[in-house]
Amino acid sequence: MKKVSRNELFILEEASLDRDVLIRLVDFNRKYQLRILRYFAEIKIGFEEKYPGVIYPGLFGEVDSISGVMRPLENQKVWSWGDCRGLGIWSYLLAKNAILDEDTDICGRKVNLRRFFNEYCGFIYKCLMERCEINGGRIPFIVDVLTNKASDDPVNIPCAPGECEPTHVFAAAGFMQYGLMKNCPESLALGLRFLEESVDCGMNFRNVDHVTKKRNPYSGHGFAMVTLGAIVDTLKCLEHVNCPEIDTKSLKEKLLGQGAMISEFIISRFYDPPTGHFWEYNCMDGRPYINQDGYQICDPGHVAEACAFIAELEDFTRKCNTGVLPADLKCDKRKFGHAPELLKIMRFISENGYSAAGVMYKNIDLLTCEGVYDKTGPEGNKYRTSPWWNVRECCAASIKLYEMTGDGSCLKMYKKAQNATYLNYPNEKIGGLMVQTLDADTLKPLPFHPATGNLDPMHCARAREREIEAMEAILSC
């Protein structure tokens, strides 16, 4: 790993955001967004030059996040999470015209980034549609590079009828956002089918864990929470499209209703109001689950994701109720106001979710508020890890809550997460993308990937776009 030079980054000195700082942060984030897009274009072109005649059937991200070295073809996999996530976030950026329509030099070529990613999304969509057809209407976790068929890789996730793993949710988000961006009813309809199945699966705890490859015997909020994210991402995309072939009004009403239902489902089952605790699993009787090691697990990154999604949904509902959205739009007129709870939850993880070295643990124990050892290396050493995405989700959640509430504690949370991100994770060897996993105690890069081994296009980019949007909303006041 080679850290990106500090003078290329934006490190906050104080927990305050005056107008000048906000303007500079928006500019930094927009330029960093384009920096990452350039890198994804670069590695796709690099693959095609290295392996002429080989068509990689999806989004290419088979690069080690520490060394920046492309994996040999025989070791490469196609990760459907990456394909679906990339299709979603890039469709959203295209829909809102956040990708420049101008030429830039990449690998000695003149590349129009907007046209490049428009064509890239079309190619990914085609690959996913073929993958869905040849794999019986499902999209496998991993497929083979040369066939686009489900791989026999032992890491692949088996699902029985009625079960889903997270690929299903990411496919829902990707197909829905692509369908809106391209005014493609076929893509939207497929995404909505995947969404309905994901809502049913998540709220009935029938999801298969991507680590254990089994249906978890304990009831977790994670799958339903990520499904809420797909709903929110699609609602946001709806704000930037004109789709004459799609009934966007009815779609918005449907998504708002589903989102409110899932938000209430999660908050009512996994949150303790007196303490601000938000845990990962329940027993079948609804009590918080204490595992065999005596831990009540909290995943601070999942908590931040949940808070951000609920906050974004609440903002949509508030706009509906105050007439910002069309007056005849039917949405839940109840007081859907979870901001005080979200603030309490976020304060708790900001105060208790970080290691002494200044990064956010993958897991903490709510009974002791200490980090939990979650990975074991081949030499038998145990590690408390810190994946890149958790601090990025914390940035998005805290600045959104600041936009909505004006609560000063949000700025402290934002500064902590922003600086934890940019002081520790950006790797020059992967174009400024974030190294996937650090040792939370020593800050050394670790050769563990949180879920998929490819470079992820979504978590960091989606969080950054939400930060930009929240800051622009604050500046417009």
Coordinates of all heavy atoms in Angstrom, one line a residue, residues 393-457:
E393 N -19.8 4.9 5.5 CA -21.2 5.0 5.8 C -21.5 5.9 7.0 O -22.5 6.6 7.1 CB -21.7 3.6 6.1 CG -21.7 2.6 5.0 CD -22.7 3.0 3.8 OE1 -23.6 3.9 4.1 OE2 -22.6 2.5 2.7
C394 N -20.5 6.0 7.9 CA -20.7 6.9 9.1 C -20.6 8.4 8.6 O -21.4 9.2 9.1 CB -19.6 6.6 10.1 SG -19.9 7.4 11.7
C395 N -19.8 8.7 7.6 CA -19.7 10.0 7.1 C -21.1 10.4 6.5 O -21.6 11.5 6.7 CB -18.6 10.1 6.0 SG -16.9 10.2 6.6
A396 N -21.6 9.5 5.7 CA -22.9 9.8 5.0 C -24.0 10.0 6.0 O -24.8 10.9 5.9 CB -23.2 8.6 4.0
A397 N -24.1 9.1 7.0 CA -25.1 9.2 8.0 C -25.0 10.5 8.8 O -26.0 11.2 9.1 CB -25.1 8.0 8.9
S398 N -23.8 10.8 9.3 CA -23.7 12.0 10.2 C -23.9 13.3 9.5 O -24.6 14.2 10.1 CB -22.3 12.0 10.9 OG -21.3 11.9 9.9
I399 N -23.5 13.5 8.2 CA -23.7 14.7 7.6 C -25.2 14.9 7.1 O -25.8 16.0 7.1 CB -22.8 14.9 6.4 CG1 -22.7 16.4 5.9 CG2 -23.1 14.0 5.2 CD1 -22.1 17.3 6.9
K400 N -25.8 13.7 6.8 CA -27.3 13.8 6.5 C -28.1 14.2 7.7 O -29.0 15.0 7.6 CB -27.8 12.4 6.0 CG -29.2 12.4 5.6 CD -29.5 13.4 4.4 CE -31.0 13.4 4.0 NZ -31.2 14.4 2.9
L401 N -27.7 13.6 8.9 CA -28.4 14.0 10.1 C -28.2 15.4 10.5 O -29.1 16.1 11.0 CB -28.1 13.0 11.2 CG -28.7 11.7 11.2 CD1 -28.1 10.7 12.2 CD2 -30.2 11.8 11.4
Y402 N -27.0 15.9 10.2 CA -26.7 17.4 10.5 C -27.6 18.2 9.6 O -28.2 19.2 10.0 CB -25.2 17.7 10.2 CG -24.9 19.1 10.5 CD1 -25.0 19.7 11.8 CD2 -24.6 20.0 9.4 CE1 -24.7 21.0 12.0 CE2 -24.3 21.3 9.6 CZ -24.4 21.8 10.9 OH -24.1 23.2 11.2
E403 N -27.7 17.9 8.3 CA -28.6 18.6 7.4 C -30.0 18.7 7.9 O -30.7 19.7 7.9 CB -28.5 18.0 6.0 CG -29.5 18.6 5.0 CD -30.1 17.7 4.0 OE1 -29.4 16.6 3.7 OE2 -31.2 17.9 3.5
M404 N -30.5 17.5 8.4 CA -31.9 17.4 8.8 C -32.1 18.1 10.2 O -33.2 18.6 10.4 CB -32.3 15.9 8.9 CG -32.3 15.3 7.5 SD -32.6 13.5 7.7 CE -34.2 13.4 8.4
T405 N -31.2 18.0 11.1 CA -31.4 18.5 12.5 C -30.6 19.7 12.9 O -31.0 20.4 13.9 CB -31.1 17.3 13.5 OG1 -29.7 17.1 13.5 CG2 -31.8 16.0 13.1
G406 N -29.5 19.9 12.3 CA -28.6 21.0 12.8 C -27.9 20.7 14.1 O -27.3 21.6 14.7
D407 N -28.0 19.5 14.5 CA -27.4 19.1 15.8 C -25.8 19.1 15.7 O -25.3 18.4 14.8 CB -27.9 17.7 16.2 CG -27.5 17.3 17.6 OD1 -26.3 17.2 17.9 OD2 -28.4 17.2 18.5
G408 N -25.2 19.9 16.6 CA -23.7 20.0 16.5 C -22.9 18.8 16.7 O -21.8 18.6 16.3
S409 N -23.5 17.8 17.4 CA -22.8 16.5 17.7 C -22.5 15.8 16.3 O -21.6 15.0 16.2 CB -23.6 15.6 18.6 OG -24.8 15.2 18.1
C410 N -23.4 16.0 15.3 CA -23.2 15.4 14.0 C -21.9 15.8 13.4 O -21.2 15.0 12.7 CB -24.3 15.7 13.1 SG -25.9 15.2 13.6
L411 N -21.5 17.1 13.6 CA -20.2 17.5 13.0 C -19.0 16.9 13.7 O -18.0 16.6 13.0 CB -20.1 19.1 13.2 CG -21.2 19.9 12.4 CD1 -20.9 21.4 12.6 CD2 -21.2 19.5 11.0
K412 N -19.1 16.6 15.0 CA -18.0 15.8 15.6 C -18.0 14.4 15.1 O -16.9 13.9 14.8 CB -18.3 15.8 17.2 CG -18.2 17.2 17.8 CD -18.5 17.0 19.3 CE -18.4 18.4 20.0 NZ -18.7 18.3 21.5
M413 N -19.1 13.8 14.9 CA -19.1 12.5 14.3 C -18.6 12.5 12.9 O -17.9 11.6 12.4 CB -20.6 11.9 14.3 CG -21.1 11.7 15.7 SD -22.8 10.9 15.7 CE -23.8 12.3 15.4
Y414 N -19.0 13.5 12.1 CA -18.5 13.6 10.7 C -17.0 13.8 10.7 O -16.3 13.1 9.9 CB -19.2 14.8 10.0 CG -18.8 14.8 8.5 CD1 -19.3 13.9 7.6 CD2 -17.9 15.8 8.1 CE1 -18.9 14.0 6.3 CE2 -17.5 15.9 6.8 CZ -18.0 14.9 5.9 OH -17.6 15.0 4.6
K415 N -16.5 14.7 11.5 CA -15.0 14.9 11.5 C -14.3 13.7 11.8 O -13.3 13.3 11.1 CB -14.7 16.0 12.5 CG -13.2 16.2 12.6 CD -12.8 17.1 13.8 CE -11.3 17.1 14.0 NZ -10.9 17.8 15.2
K416 N -14.8 12.9 12.8 CA -14.1 11.7 13.2 C -14.1 10.7 12.1 O -13.0 10.1 11.8 CB -14.8 11.2 14.5 CG -14.0 10.1 15.2 CD -14.8 9.7 16.5 CE -13.9 8.8 17.4 NZ -14.6 8.5 18.7
A417 N -15.2 10.5 11.4 CA -15.3 9.5 10.4 C -14.5 10.0 9.1 O -13.9 9.2 8.4 CB -16.7 9.2 10.0
Q418 N -14.6 11.3 8.8 CA -13.9 11.8 7.6 C -12.4 11.7 7.7 O -11.7 11.2 6.8 CB -14.3 13.3 7.4 CG -13.4 14.1 6.5 CD -13.8 14.0 5.0 OE1 -14.7 13.3 4.7 NE2 -13.1 14.7 4.2
N419 N -11.9 12.0 8.9 CA -10.5 11.9 9.1 C -10.0 10.5 9.2 O -8.9 10.1 8.7 CB -10.1 12.7 10.3 CG -10.2 14.3 10.1 OD1 -10.5 14.7 9.0 ND2 -10.0 15.0 11.1
A420 N -10.8 9.6 9.8 CA -10.5 8.2 9.9 C -10.4 7.6 8.5 O -9.5 6.8 8.2 CB -11.5 7.5 10.7
T421 N -11.3 8.1 7.6 CA -11.3 7.6 6.2 C -10.0 8.0 5.5 O -9.2 7.2 5.1 CB -12.5 8.2 5.5 OG1 -13.7 7.7 6.0 CG2 -12.4 7.8 4.0
Y422 N -9.8 9.3 5.4 CA -8.8 9.8 4.5 C -7.3 9.8 5.1 O -6.4 9.8 4.3 CB -9.1 11.2 4.0 CG -10.3 11.2 3.1 CD1 -11.6 11.5 3.5 CD2 -10.2 10.7 1.8 CE1 -12.7 11.4 2.7 CE2 -11.3 10.6 0.9 CZ -12.5 11.0 1.4 OH -13.6 10.8 0.6
L423 N -7.2 9.7 6.4 CA -5.9 9.5 7.0 C -5.3 8.1 6.8 O -4.1 7.8 6.9 CB -5.9 9.9 8.4 CG -5.9 11.4 8.7 CD1 -6.1 11.6 10.2 CD2 -4.7 12.2 8.2
N424 N -6.2 7.1 6.6 CA -5.8 5.7 6.7 C -6.1 4.8 5.5 O -5.3 3.9 5.3 CB -6.6 5.1 7.9 CG -6.2 5.8 9.2 OD1 -5.1 5.7 9.7 ND2 -7.2 6.4 9.8
Y425 N -7.1 5.1 4.7 CA -7.5 4.1 3.7 C -7.1 4.4 2.2 O -6.9 3.4 1.5 CB -9.0 3.9 3.8 CG -9.5 3.2 5.0 CD1 -9.9 4.0 6.2 CD2 -9.6 1.8 5.1 CE1 -10.3 3.4 7.3 CE2 -10.0 1.2 6.3 CZ -10.3 2.0 7.4 OH -10.8 1.4 8.5
P426 N -7.1 5.6 1.8 CA -6.8 5.8 0.3 C -5.4 5.3 -0.1 O -4.4 5.6 0.5 CB -6.9 7.4 0.2 CG -7.7 7.8 1.3 CD -7.4 6.9 2.5
N427 N -5.4 4.5 -1.1 CA -4.2 3.8 -1.6 C -3.9 4.3 -3.0 O -4.7 4.1 -3.9 CB -4.5 2.3 -1.6 CG -3.2 1.5 -2.0 OD1 -2.2 2.1 -2.2 ND2 -3.4 0.2 -2.0
E428 N -2.7 4.9 -3.1 CA -2.3 5.5 -4.4 C -2.2 4.3 -5.5 O -2.4 4.6 -6.7 CB -0.9 6.1 -4.2 CG -0.4 6.9 -5.5 CD -1.2 8.1 -5.7 OE1 -1.3 9.0 -4.8 OE2 -1.7 8.3 -6.9
K429 N -1.9 3.1 -5.0 CA -1.7 2.0 -5.9 C -3.0 1.5 -6.6 O -3.0 0.8 -7.5 CB -1.0 0.8 -5.2 CG 0.4 1.1 -4.8 CD 1.1 -0.1 -4.3 CE 2.6 0.2 -4.0 NZ 3.3 -1.0 -3.5
I430 N -4.1 2.0 -6.1 CA -5.4 1.7 -6.7 C -6.2 3.0 -7.0 O -7.4 3.1 -6.8 CB -6.3 0.7 -5.8 CG1 -6.4 1.2 -4.4 CG2 -5.7 -0.7 -5.9 CD1 -7.3 0.3 -3.5
G431 N -5.4 4.0 -7.4 CA -6.0 5.2 -7.9 C -6.7 6.1 -6.9 O -7.4 7.0 -7.2
G432 N -6.4 5.8 -5.6 CA -7.0 6.6 -4.5 C -8.2 5.9 -3.9 O -8.8 6.4 -3.0
L433 N -8.6 4.7 -4.5 CA -9.6 3.9 -3.8 C -9.1 3.5 -2.4 O -7.9 3.6 -2.1 CB -9.9 2.6 -4.6 CG -11.0 2.8 -5.8 CD1 -10.9 1.6 -6.7 CD2 -12.3 2.8 -5.2
M434 N -10.1 3.0 -1.6 CA -9.7 2.6 -0.2 C -9.2 1.2 -0.2 O -9.8 0.3 -0.8 CB -11.0 2.8 0.7 CG -11.7 4.1 0.5 SD -10.7 5.5 1.1 CE -11.5 6.9 0.4
V435 N -8.1 1.0 0.6 CA -7.7 -0.4 0.9 C -8.8 -1.1 1.7 O -9.5 -0.4 2.5 CB -6.4 -0.4 1.6 CG1 -6.5 0.2 3.1 CG2 -5.8 -1.8 1.7
Q436 N -9.1 -2.4 1.4 CA -10.3 -3.0 1.9 C -10.3 -3.2 3.5 O -11.4 -2.9 4.1 CB -10.5 -4.3 1.3 CG -11.0 -4.2 -0.2 CD -11.2 -5.5 -0.8 OE1 -10.4 -6.4 -0.7 NE2 -12.2 -5.7 -1.6
T437 N -9.2 -3.6 4.0 CA -9.3 -4.0 5.5 C -8.0 -3.6 6.2 O -6.9 -3.9 5.7 CB -9.5 -5.5 5.6 OG1 -10.6 -5.9 4.9 CG2 -9.7 -5.8 7.1
L438 N -8.1 -2.9 7.3 CA -7.0 -2.6 8.2 C -7.1 -3.3 9.5 O -8.2 -3.7 9.9 CB -7.0 -1.1 8.5 CG -6.8 -0.1 7.3 CD1 -6.8 1.3 7.9 CD2 -5.4 -0.4 6.6
D439 N -6.0 -3.6 10.1 CA -6.0 -4.0 11.5 C -6.4 -2.8 12.3 O -5.7 -1.8 12.3 CB -4.5 -4.5 11.9 CG -4.5 -5.1 13.3 OD1 -5.1 -4.5 14.2 OD2 -3.7 -6.0 13.5
A440 N -7.5 -3.0 13.1 CA -8.0 -1.8 13.8 C -7.1 -1.3 14.9 O -7.2 -0.2 15.3 CB -9.4 -2.2 14.4
D441 N -6.2 -2.2 15.4 CA -5.3 -1.8 16.5 C -4.0 -1.3 16.0 O -3.4 -0.5 16.7 CB -5.2 -3.1 17.4 CG -6.5 -3.5 18.0 OD1 -7.1 -2.7 18.6 OD2 -6.8 -4.7 17.8
T442 N -3.5 -1.8 14.8 CA -2.2 -1.4 14.4 C -2.2 -0.5 13.1 O -1.2 0.1 12.7 CB -1.3 -2.6 14.1 OG1 -1.8 -3.3 12.9 CG2 -1.2 -3.5 15.3
L443 N -3.3 -0.5 12.5 CA -3.6 0.2 11.2 C -2.8 -0.4 10.0 O -2.8 0.2 8.9 CB -3.2 1.7 11.3 CG -3.9 2.5 12.3 CD1 -3.5 4.0 12.3 CD2 -5.5 2.4 12.1
K444 N -2.3 -1.6 10.2 CA -1.6 -2.3 9.1 C -2.7 -2.9 8.1 O -3.7 -3.4 8.6 CB -0.7 -3.4 9.6 CG 0.5 -2.9 10.3 CD 1.3 -4.1 10.8 CE 2.6 -3.6 11.6 NZ 3.4 -4.8 12.1
P445 N -2.5 -2.8 6.8 CA -3.4 -3.4 5.8 C -3.4 -4.9 6.0 O -2.3 -5.5 6.2 CB -2.8 -3.0 4.5 CG -1.9 -1.9 4.7 CD -1.4 -2.0 6.1
L446 N -4.6 -5.5 6.0 CA -4.7 -7.0 6.2 C -5.2 -7.6 4.9 O -6.0 -7.0 4.2 CB -5.7 -7.3 7.3 CG -5.2 -6.8 8.7 CD1 -6.4 -7.1 9.7 CD2 -4.0 -7.6 9.1
P447 N -4.8 -8.8 4.6 CA -5.2 -9.5 3.3 C -6.5 -10.2 3.4 O -6.7 -11.3 2.9 CB -4.1 -10.5 3.1 CG -3.6 -10.9 4.5 CD -3.8 -9.6 5.3
F448 N -7.5 -9.5 4.1 CA -8.8 -10.1 4.2 C -9.8 -9.1 3.5 O -9.7 -7.9 3.6 CB -9.3 -10.1 5.7 CG -8.4 -10.8 6.6 CD1 -7.9 -10.2 7.8 CD2 -8.0 -12.1 6.4 CE1 -7.1 -10.9 8.7 CE2 -7.2 -12.8 7.2 CZ -6.7 -12.2 8.4
H449 N -10.7 -9.7 2.7 CA -11.7 -8.9 2.1 C -13.0 -9.1 2.9 O -13.4 -10.2 3.3 CB -11.9 -9.1 0.6 CG -12.2 -10.5 0.2 ND1 -13.4 -11.1 0.4 CD2 -11.3 -11.4 -0.3 CE1 -13.3 -12.4 -0.1 NE2 -12.1 -12.6 -0.5
P450 N -13.8 -8.0 3.1 CA -15.0 -8.2 4.0 C -16.1 -9.1 3.4 O -16.7 -9.8 4.1 CB -15.5 -6.7 4.0 CG -14.3 -5.9 3.8 CD -13.5 -6.7 2.8
A451 N -16.2 -9.1 2.1 CA -17.2 -10.0 1.5 C -16.8 -10.5 0.1 O -16.9 -11.7 -0.2 CB -18.6 -9.3 1.4
T452 N -16.4 -9.6 -0.7 CA -15.9 -10.0 -2.1 C -14.5 -9.5 -2.3 O -14.1 -8.5 -1.8 CB -16.9 -9.4 -3.2 OG1 -16.8 -7.9 -3.1 CG2 -18.3 -9.8 -2.9
G453 N -13.8 -10.2 -3.1 CA -12.4 -9.9 -3.3 C -12.1 -8.9 -4.3 O -10.9 -8.5 -4.5
N454 N -13.1 -8.4 -5.1 CA -12.8 -7.4 -6.1 C -12.9 -6.0 -5.5 O -13.4 -5.8 -4.4 CB -13.8 -7.5 -7.2 CG -15.3 -7.4 -6.7 OD1 -15.6 -7.6 -5.6 ND2 -16.2 -6.9 -7.6
L455 N -12.5 -5.0 -6.3 CA -12.6 -3.6 -5.8 C -14.1 -3.2 -5.9 O -14.7 -3.4 -7.0 CB -11.7 -2.7 -6.7 CG -10.2 -3.0 -6.6 CD1 -9.5 -2.0 -7.5 CD2 -9.7 -2.8 -5.2
D456 N -14.6 -2.7 -4.9 CA -16.0 -2.3 -4.8 C -16.3 -0.9 -5.3 O -15.6 0.0 -4.9 CB -16.5 -2.4 -3.4 CG -18.0 -2.0 -3.2 OD1 -18.8 -2.8 -3.7 OD2 -18.3 -0.9 -2.7
P457 N -17.2 -0.8 -6.3 CA -17.5 0.6 -6.9 C -18.5 1.4 -6.1 O -18.6 2.6 -6.4 CB -18.1 0.2 -8.2 CG -18.8 -1.1 -8.0 CD -18.0 -1.8 -6.9

